[in-house]
């Protein structure tokens, strides 16, 4: 047998799974649902070790050996032989949301469960295993132990505010798990010590190991189930005068109708579209990490293929294969299913930003626009006008070629109108500064205002043909506009507006480019071809050659490797299940029938052509149906009661991990991108605000391309003092730290410190022997007069003279003078609360009587003189023992 032992992070509570290895093809897992202490687990494993030794009493032949140490179970999978278990063996922290860590899978291990003695071999098993392992779990798969990544922050925080009466009715289901052994001994189990915990079902569309956990979902305790998402996760620190603001970007890729670029286009029969990704940007003040006390804000937008039956034939080996509409859909059945899903999850209004070409010599992309307009027009005639789908067509390629039009300015206008319609989520009321400094844009903001803050209602759905390059730039502009509103709502800026070339926008742009590159690699096989700088028309010449290479890489991937990747995705997601006597995965001419279930069996129920939405959705609009308190949504929530001192809900232990040995070099908050360290210029006198517009050569990181290599960085550091770096891709300094001071002095260059003024004291006359004043523009970054006036220099010289001579007068003479000779001079009183206005003399603080008693009791306890314990002390100790060991 295999014994799977799992623990909480502090290793105080354990669960044990027993996996039977004698079954050749079935999965037999036994979970006793019991929570063990550390001592009980050691005794259990000791008995198992002793009972399974080959010879009793012989210590050398151990009956129990550790096979692998892991961080979680991805799932169980079977091909043609027995089951495999997939384990996470390496992880890396990628983000932190309110003290909840988000990890990236770095490495996994697949272990075959049945024994060799019962194994029934099959010749095609190895090939299936190789295809399954083609899905690289170490590339952009994420999980969290305590935060639901499949849902948005708005959903996760909204269900936490469900009424207490609703929660109490649900606790009867888990009465046995929350049984209190001290209930009869007078400990308060209700009210103050009880904490209700809510666990919601994950949103299946964005879970990638749902099929792998299907075999054990109803057998094992829910603590064993670890749901993973695929997409992107990045976090950066925006430092606003030392105040840490974390900007997080999470992209969830849909597991429905998933695949590669030319092999998955349009939508399937259930309304799931290809390349569907939900992008959420989360902003919060990291100085307070609690969800209840902290300030959190988020904004969600979606990308996805045009929801129609369409495809492109890649057998012609053309870079742009012709677009064909596969099926006629006069009643927009597929689009209705897709927008019904969106109304349930996001509410209204649904805004479509269609970026495909409108004018073409040969009709290509315009086919999709015409069909989409017809579908939206048909669906809108049955919706109430206030909840109608908003359609915005904008030919981005045409505006890019025009020299008269600025693409990003036009996108900014669209972004402003979109954010005003949908609003955004924030978990606190409008700050008082918005009342003191009212802004017209803020008063026009949409969304849904509740007593605890604001809710986002509706969503922007952006698409082009591939939903890669143009879509990413449009999403960046909308995200930048939403970021300004988020910062304003938290009281961090005075107007909801952000300028380009500021540290904040550069940091956000880098996050979005990493996000776009990752999503493009997953779907298209290469990084982004056209970036934000391409549309700003500030990209360097070297970028053109990189764009050509990315285009060739994308074409090669689509032509030669996408088919293998598609087979791997189909096998991993359980779309295809290997079966004896049926064709193998590689023998299928197409996977069309796997993704379109209606081709294999006719559905008994037919949806209405007019009332195309799910029952109950329209009643709650503009709020999303998934976040409304009703009987259907209550079934998706599991409620459990915890004690307030349990480690499972202790956010301090979860975040700071005092039980682990940690080093500063490996600490996540030091490794993430920081606006002060990576983007703010290192020159003296520069405004440290991340909302100040910088010049292209005034930055701590290269703005015009990728980071320079180490040799260039060292060369730049050595030459940074003598000459400013030219604004080219190779010469922009990526880390202009001020560590070359010795080089400056050795080479005889001018020091950037202000030249000292030598003052000689000869009676009443003051002579300035050296007056070499450096330009204030070079030193402080501001334009002042080049040479101070004579009056200013005289005042400064007197100030220096007073400072040099004040130490020559002793205290006795000073007191004598103040009493007898300086009666008419104003006496200066020190403003500090100390007896002497001096940083070296401090009065000891006064301690009250209770503090002194506690300190004396502590001293006596150290000497062995213990005070008798009272009733409260006994109750507290019992409470501690129950939480720690029982």
């Amino acid at each position: 047998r295999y014994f799977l032992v799992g623990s909480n992070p502090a290793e105080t509570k354990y669960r044990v799974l027993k996996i039977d290895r004698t079954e050749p093809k079935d999965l037999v897992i036994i979970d006793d649902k019991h929570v063990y202490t550390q001592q009980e687990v050691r005794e259990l494993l000791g008995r198992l070790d002793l009972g399974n030794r080959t010879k009793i009493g012989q210590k050398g032949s151990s009956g129990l050996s550790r096979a692998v140490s892991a961080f979680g179970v991805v799932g169980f999978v079977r091909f043609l032989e027995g089951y495999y278990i997939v384990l996470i063996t390496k992880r890396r922290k990628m983000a932190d949301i309110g003290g909840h860590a988000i990890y990236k899978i770095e490495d996994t291990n697949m272990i075959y469960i049945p024994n060799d003695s019962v194994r029934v071999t099959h010749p095609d098993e190895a090939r299936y295993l190789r295809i399954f392992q083609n899905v690289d779990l170490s590339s952009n798969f994420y999980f969290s132990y305590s935060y639901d990544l499949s849902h948005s922050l708005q959903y996760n925080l909204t269900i936490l505010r469900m009424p207490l009466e609703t929660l109490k009715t649900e606790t009867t289901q888990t009465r046995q798990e929350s049984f209190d052994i001290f209930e009869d001994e007078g400990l308060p189990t209700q009210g103050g010590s009880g904490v209700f915990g809510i666990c919601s079902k994950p949103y299946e569309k964005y879970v990638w190991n749902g099929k792998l956990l299907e075999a054990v979902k109803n057998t094992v305790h829910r603590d064993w189930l670890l749901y993973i998402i695929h997409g992107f996760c990045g976090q950066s620190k925006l430092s606003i005068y030392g105040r840490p603001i974390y900007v997080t970007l999470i992209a969830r890729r849909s597991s429905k109708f998933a695949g590669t670029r030319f092999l998955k286009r349009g939508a399937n029969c259930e309304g799931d579209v290809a390349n569907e990704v939900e992008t959420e940007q989360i902003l919060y003040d990291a100085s307070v990490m609690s969800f209840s006390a902290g300030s959190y804000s988020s904004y969600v937008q979606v990308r996805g293929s045009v929801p129609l039956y369409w495809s492109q034939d890649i057998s012609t080996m053309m870079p742009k294969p012709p677009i064909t509409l596969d099926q006629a859909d006069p009643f927009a059945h597929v689009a209705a299913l897709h927008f019904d899903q969106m109304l349930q999850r996001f509410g209204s209004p649904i805004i479509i930003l269609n970026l495909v070409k409108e004018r073409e010599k040969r009709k290509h992309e315009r086919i999709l626009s015409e069909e989409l307009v017809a579908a939206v027009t048909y669906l809108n005639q049955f919706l109430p006008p206030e909840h109608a789908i908003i359609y915005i067509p904008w030919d981005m390629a045409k505006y890019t070629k025009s020299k008269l039009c600025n693409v990003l300015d036009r996108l900014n206008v669209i972004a402003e109108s979109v954010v005003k319609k949908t609003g955004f989520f924030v978990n606190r009321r409008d700050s008082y500064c918005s009342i003191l400094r009212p802004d017209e844009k803020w008063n026009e903001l949409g969304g849904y205002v509740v007593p605890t803050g604001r809710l986002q209602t509706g969503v922007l759905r952006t698409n082009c043909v591939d939903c890669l390059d143009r879509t990413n730039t449009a999403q960046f502009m909308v995200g930048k506009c939403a970021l300004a509103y988020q910062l304003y709502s938290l009281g961090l800026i005075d107007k909801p507006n952000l300028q380009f070339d500021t540290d904040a926008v550069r940091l956000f742009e880098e996050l979005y480019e990493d996000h776009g590159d990752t999503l493009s690699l997953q779907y298209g096989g290469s990084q982004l071809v056209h970036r934000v700088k391409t549309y700003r028309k500030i990209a360097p010449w070297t970028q053109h050659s990189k764009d050509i290479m990315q285009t060739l890489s994308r074409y090669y991937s689509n032509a030669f490797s996408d088919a293998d990747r598609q087979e791997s995705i189909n096998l991993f997601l359980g779309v295809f299940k290997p079966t004896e006597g049926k064709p193998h995965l590689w023998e299928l001419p197409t996977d069309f029938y796997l993704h379109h279930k209606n081709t294999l069996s006719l559905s008994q129920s037919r949806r209405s052509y007019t009332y195309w939405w799910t029952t109950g959705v329209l009643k709650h609009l503009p709020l999303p149906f998934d976040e409304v308190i009703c009987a259907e949504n209550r079934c998706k929530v599991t409620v459990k009661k915890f004690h307030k001192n349990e480690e499972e809900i202790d956010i301090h232990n979860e975040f700071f991990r005092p039980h682990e040995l940690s080093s500063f070099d490996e600490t996540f908050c030091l490794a993430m991108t920081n606006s002060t360290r990576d983007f703010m210029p290192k020159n003296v006198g520069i405004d440290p605000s991340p909302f100040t517009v910088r010049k292209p050569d005034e930055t701590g990181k290269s703005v015009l391309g990728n980071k320079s290599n180490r040799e260039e960085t060292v060369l730049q550091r050595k030459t940074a003092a003598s000459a400013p770096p030219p604004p080219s891709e190779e010469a922009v300094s990526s880390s202009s730290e001020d560590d070359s001071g010795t080089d400056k002095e050795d080479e005889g260059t001018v020091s950037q410190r202000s030249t000292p003024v030598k003052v000689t004291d000869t009676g009443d006359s003051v002579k300035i022997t050296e007056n070499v004043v450096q330009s204030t523009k070079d030193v402080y970054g501001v334009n002042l007069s080049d040479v101070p006036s004579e009056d200013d220099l005289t005042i400064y010289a007197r100030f220096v003279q007073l400072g040099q001579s004040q130490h020559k007068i002793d205290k006795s003479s000073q007191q004598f003078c103040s009493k007898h000779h300086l009666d008419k001079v104003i006496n200066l009183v020190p403003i500090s609360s100390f007896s002497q206005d001096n940083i070296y003399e401090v009065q000891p603080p006064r301690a009250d009587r209770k503090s002194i008693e506690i300190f004396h009791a502590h001293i006596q306890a150290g000497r062995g003189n213990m005070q008798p314990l009272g009733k409260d002390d006994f109750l507290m100790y019992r409470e501690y023992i129950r939480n720690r060991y029982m």
Side-chain angles (χ1 to χ4, degrees):
R1 292 184 179 88
Y2 277 133
F3 290 93
L4 206 60
V5 182
S7 75
N8 62 345
E11 297 184 1
T12 56
K13 295 181 180 180
Y14 293 81
R15 291 185 183 272
V16 178
L17 280 184
K18 184 170 72 173
I19 305 174
D20 192 357
R21 300 185 64 195
T22 59
E23 292 290 337
K25 291 193 176 181
D26 294 330
L27 183 64
V28 180
I29 292 184
I30 300 170
D31 183 7
D32 57 8
K33 306 286 176 72
H34 181 68
V35 179
Y36 297 88
T37 63
Q38 193 173 51
Q39 185 178 355
E40 289 172 349
V41 159
R42 285 177 178 173
E43 291 174 358
L44 175 66
L45 297 179
R47 288 197 300 269
L48 290 170
D49 182 41
L50 189 63
N52 286 283
R53 285 180 186 168
T54 53
K55 294 180 182 179
I56 297 175
Q58 186 177 349
K59 294 183 179 179
S61 56
S62 175
L64 205 64
S65 61
R66 178 178 292 190
V68 66
S69 296
F71 294 104
V73 180
V74 175
F76 299 83
V77 64
R78 176 182 174 271
F79 308 123
L80 295 170
E81 295 181 11
Y83 273 89
Y84 297 83
I85 181 172
V86 187
L87 299 169
I88 301 168
T89 54
K90 284 185 182 178
R91 68 181 186 186
R92 181 158 60 95
K93 189 173 178 181
M94 293 300 296
D96 180 271
I97 301 176
H100 300 273
I102 298 173
Y103 297 97
K104 177 180 179 289
I105 299 176
E106 290 284 292
D107 198 10
T108 55
N109 192 1
M110 282 186 73
I111 299 175
Y112 188 65
I113 293 175
N115 275 320
D116 292 338
S117 59
V118 298
R119 183 169 186 172
V120 181
T121 59
H122 194 284
D124 294 317
E125 179 77 8
R127 184 167 183 180
Y128 274 117
L129 182 62
R130 191 168 60 250
I131 292 172
F132 183 87
Q133 290 176 334
N134 274 347
V135 174
D136 187 7
L137 280 169
S138 64
S139 63
N140 311 117
F141 283 88
Y142 305 91
F143 69 93
S144 176
Y145 298 112
S146 53
Y147 183 80
D148 188 356
L149 284 172
S150 66
H151 282 293
S152 65
L153 181 74
Q154 176 171 317
Y155 177 89
N156 289 334
L157 294 190
T158 301
I159 63 167
L160 288 177
R161 292 198 166 91
M162 290 175 68
L164 191 62
E165 296 76 21
T166 310
L167 302 183
K168 286 183 178 177
T169 57
E170 298 289 322
T171 53
T172 54
Q173 299 176 1
T174 56
R175 173 67 180 158
Q176 188 176 0
E177 293 182 11
S178 60
F179 182 71
D180 194 338
I181 61 171
F182 283 93
E183 192 169 4
D184 299 330
E185 300 201 20
L187 267 182
T189 56
Q190 299 293 332
S193 64
V195 177
F196 290 102
I198 300 180
C199 176
S200 62
K201 284 186 180 179
Y203 194 63
E204 292 182 2
K205 177 184 274 192
Y206 298 115
V207 173
W208 275 66
N209 61 335
K211 292 290 184 182
L212 301 180
L213 292 172
E214 207 170 47
V216 297
K217 188 165 60 174
N218 299 321
T219 309
V220 302
H221 190 272
R222 64 172 177 270
D223 288 351
W224 289 103
L225 305 177
L226 190 66
Y227 296 101
I228 63 173
I229 67 164
H230 184 38
F232 174 79
C233 179
Q235 189 171 56
S236 296
K237 180 180 176 182
L238 181 65
S239 182
I240 305 177
Y241 294 106
R243 187 175 179 183
I245 306 297
Y246 283 5
V247 183
T248 314
L249 208 60
I250 299 175
R252 309 173 184 92
R253 181 174 288 282
S254 171
S255 61
K256 310 290 185 185
F257 204 52
T260 53
R261 186 184 176 202
F262 285 126
L263 298 176
K264 285 291 162 282
R265 293 293 211 192
N268 65 3
C269 63
E270 296 174 353
D272 303 307
V273 297
N275 195 22
E276 184 173 7
V277 182
E278 179 182 300
T279 301
E280 180 180 22
Q281 62 188 56
I282 299 173
L283 188 82
Y284 75 95
D285 187 347
S287 55
V288 182
M289 63 184 183
S290 161
F291 274 143
S292 55
S295 302
Y296 292 81
S297 176
S298 74
Y299 183 77
V300 178
Q301 46 186 326
V302 178
R303 69 171 71 183
S305 190
V306 180
L308 306 166
Y309 285 124
W310 65 281
S311 61
Q312 285 179 283
D313 185 12
I314 57 171
S315 60
T316 55
M317 298 295 287
M318 295 170 60
K320 287 186 178 181
I323 293 173
T324 56
L325 294 172
D326 298 331
Q327 295 181 33
D329 193 6
F331 299 106
H333 176 69
V334 175
L337 289 169
H338 177 67
F339 292 122
D340 182 32
Q341 289 180 15
M342 298 190 74
L343 285 174
Q344 286 188 58
R345 185 162 172 83
F346 303 110
S348 69
I350 304 295
I351 304 173
I352 302 170
L353 178 57
N354 186 18
L355 302 174
V356 304
K357 295 177 182 176
E358 298 288 339
R359 294 183 181 179
E360 297 172 300
K361 293 180 181 177
R362 182 173 59 87
K363 204 172 179 181
H364 181 62
E365 296 183 10
R366 191 152 50 97
I367 299 171
L368 300 177
S369 286
E370 292 172 356
E371 286 293 319
L372 184 59
V373 169
V376 171
T377 307
Y378 173 80
L379 296 176
N380 269 343
Q381 61 186 333
F382 306 111
L383 280 175
E386 64 271 18
H387 303 309
I389 300 169
I390 301 171
Y391 179 76
I392 305 173
W394 191 59
D395 189 345
M396 190 168 174
K398 183 186 81 172
Y399 281 91
T400 306
K401 293 174 184 176
S402 171
K403 295 181 180 179
L404 302 175
C405 179
N406 188 329
V407 178
L408 298 188
D409 283 351
R410 175 63 182 146
L411 272 176
N412 195 51
V413 174
I414 296 173
E416 285 281 354
S417 66
V418 165
V419 176
K420 281 180 183 177
K421 288 184 176 74
T422 62
F424 61 94
F425 169 73
V426 63
N427 74 329
R428 50 176 276 182
R429 297 178 181 178
D430 292 350
S431 53
Y432 189 60
C433 63
S434 61
I435 301 172
L436 292 175
R437 299 189 299 268
D439 189 271
E440 293 180 3
K441 290 163 64 176
W442 181 256
N443 295 330
E444 297 171 2
L445 194 63
Y448 197 79
V449 180
V450 292
T452 55
R454 289 176 173 269
L455 299 178
Q456 178 181 345
T457 57
V459 73
L460 172 69
R461 185 195 190 280
T462 312
N463 74 269
C464 49
V465 177
D466 296 324
C467 302
L468 296 178
D469 303 339
R470 286 174 280 182
T471 299
N472 199 67
T473 302
Q475 283 195 332
F476 164 74
M477 289 302 297
V478 176
K480 170 179 164 288
C481 177
L483 181 69
Y485 280 99
Q486 289 175 284
L487 289 165
Y488 181 79
S489 71
L490 301 184
L492 300 171
I493 53 177
D494 56 353
K495 287 188 177 180
N497 190 28
L498 286 177
Q499 299 290 334
F500 273 107
D501 295 321
T502 58
D503 296 343
V505 174
R506 282 173 178 168
L507 177 140
F508 190 64
E509 183 182 335
E510 186 183 78
L511 258 182
Y512 247 97
E513 291 212 343
D514 291 345
H515 158 267
D517 283 338
T518 305
L519 297 181
S520 183
L521 275 167
Q522 292 165 9
Y523 183 65
S526 75
Q527 294 184 348
L528 290 173
V529 175
H530 301 301
R531 302 172 179 273
V532 177
K533 295 180 186 65
T534 309
Y535 292 105
R536 286 186 71 191
K537 298 178 181 176
I538 63 168
W541 284 104
T542 51
Q543 189 65 38
H544 297 306
S545 59
K546 292 178 183 176
D547 290 350
I548 294 169
M549 290 304 297
Q550 295 298 342
T551 306
L552 293 175
S553 172
R554 188 176 291 184
Y555 176 72
Y556 174 84
S557 175
N558 300 154
F560 300 106
S561 63
D562 276 5
D564 294 335
R565 287 173 57 209
Q566 186 65 56
E567 286 183 354
S568 303
I569 292 170
N570 290 341
L571 187 63
F572 183 86
L573 292 174
V575 178
F576 176 84
K577 294 181 179 178
T579 312
E580 280 283 357
K582 290 190 177 181
H584 293 299
L585 178 61
W586 52 87
E587 293 174 352
L588 297 177
T590 177
D591 65 351
F592 180 84
Y593 309 102
L594 301 176
H595 291 274
H596 294 76
K597 303 290 175 59
N598 61 352
T599 57
L600 300 176
S601 62
L602 289 174
S603 60
Q604 300 299 322
S605 60
R606 185 185 293 272
R607 288 177 69 98
S608 171
Y609 290 143
T610 54
Y611 298 101
W612 51 266
W613 50 86
T614 304
T615 308
V617 169
L618 213 60
K619 183 172 66 175
H620 299 287
L621 290 179
L623 289 175
F625 181 72
D626 287 352
E627 296 172 16
V628 174
I629 300 171
C630 62
E632 291 180 40
N633 290 335
R634 213 173 289 143
C635 298
K636 302 175 185 176
V637 176
T638 308
V639 182
K640 183 180 175 183
K641 187 184 172 188
F642 298 91
H643 197 276
K644 65 178 181 181
N645 295 327
E646 282 195 47
E647 291 171 344
E648 197 170 345
I649 59 169
D650 188 353
I651 200 69
H652 179 273
N653 280 347
E654 173 68 24
F655 182 75
F656 291 104
R657 298 188 173 275
H659 48 272
E660 290 182 1
L661 178 66
S662 57
S663 63
F664 277 125
D665 294 336
E666 297 173 357
T667 305
F668 167 71
C669 59
L670 297 178
M672 76 166 83
T673 305
N674 190 318
S675 64
T676 305
R677 181 184 65 225
D678 299 321
F679 293 94
M680 197 177 80
K682 304 300 185 291
N683 301 341
V684 183
I686 292 293
D687 185 0
S689 169
F691 309 114
T692 303
V693 179
R694 317 277 190 207
K695 295 179 181 177
D697 55 346
E698 281 186 353
T699 180
K701 184 174 278 192
S702 173
V703 211
L704 301 177
N706 296 328
K707 300 171 187 173
S708 306
N709 56 32
R710 291 184 181 179
E711 294 177 4
E712 289 175 342
T713 306
V714 171
L715 183 64
Q716 287 158 10
R717 286 181 180 178
K718 288 184 178 179
T719 58
S722 56
S728 65
E729 187 184 21
E730 291 79 19
V732 172
S733 174
S734 65
S735 178
S736 56
E737 299 169 2
D738 192 10
D739 59 352
S740 53
T742 53
D743 296 339
K744 297 177 195 175
E745 293 172 6
D746 293 341
E747 292 165 12
T749 54
V750 179
S751 173
Q752 289 197 1
R753 297 172 185 154
S754 57
T755 309
V757 180
K758 296 181 182 178
V759 179
T760 56
D761 183 12
T762 55
D764 294 330
S765 63
V766 178
K767 295 182 180 178
I768 299 173
T769 58
E770 184 178 354
N771 185 15
V772 182
V773 181
Q774 206 174 353
S775 170
T776 53
K777 177 67 176 174
D778 297 336
V779 181
Y780 299 109
V782 290
N783 280 317
L784 298 173
S785 56
D786 290 335
V787 181
S789 64
E790 291 185 6
D791 293 341
D792 294 335
L793 284 174
T794 306
I795 293 170
Y796 178 68
R798 289 176 180 171
F799 173 73
V800 172
Q801 185 180 6
L802 284 171
Q804 288 177 344
S805 61
Q806 68 173 348
H807 300 291
K808 298 176 183 178
I809 305 172
D810 58 343
K811 289 186 177 179
S812 59
S813 63
Q814 192 174 2
Q815 290 174 359
F816 179 77
C817 290
S818 62
K819 288 180 181 178
H820 299 282
H821 300 283
L822 301 176
D823 293 334
K824 296 181 180 180
V825 179
I826 298 173
N827 289 325
L828 300 178
V829 181
I831 60 173
S832 82
S833 58
F834 299 117
S835 58
Q836 297 287 333
D837 194 14
N838 193 334
I839 62 171
Y840 302 109
E841 294 185 22
V842 180
Q843 266 189 335
R846 294 180 180 177
D848 57 6
R849 184 179 174 184
K850 189 174 181 181
S851 302
I852 294 172
E853 288 176 358
I854 293 172
F855 178 71
H856 281 303
H858 176 70
I859 295 297
Q860 293 298 324
R863 293 173 178 171
N865 302 324
M866 300 295 295
Q867 291 184 346
L869 297 176
K871 184 180 178 181
D872 293 341
D873 298 324
F874 275 112
L875 290 177
M876 189 182 298
Y877 180 68
R878 284 178 178 175
E879 201 173 335
Y880 168 74
I881 291 296
R882 183 186 70 83
N883 293 325
R884 183 74 179 177
Y885 299 107
M886 295 183 180

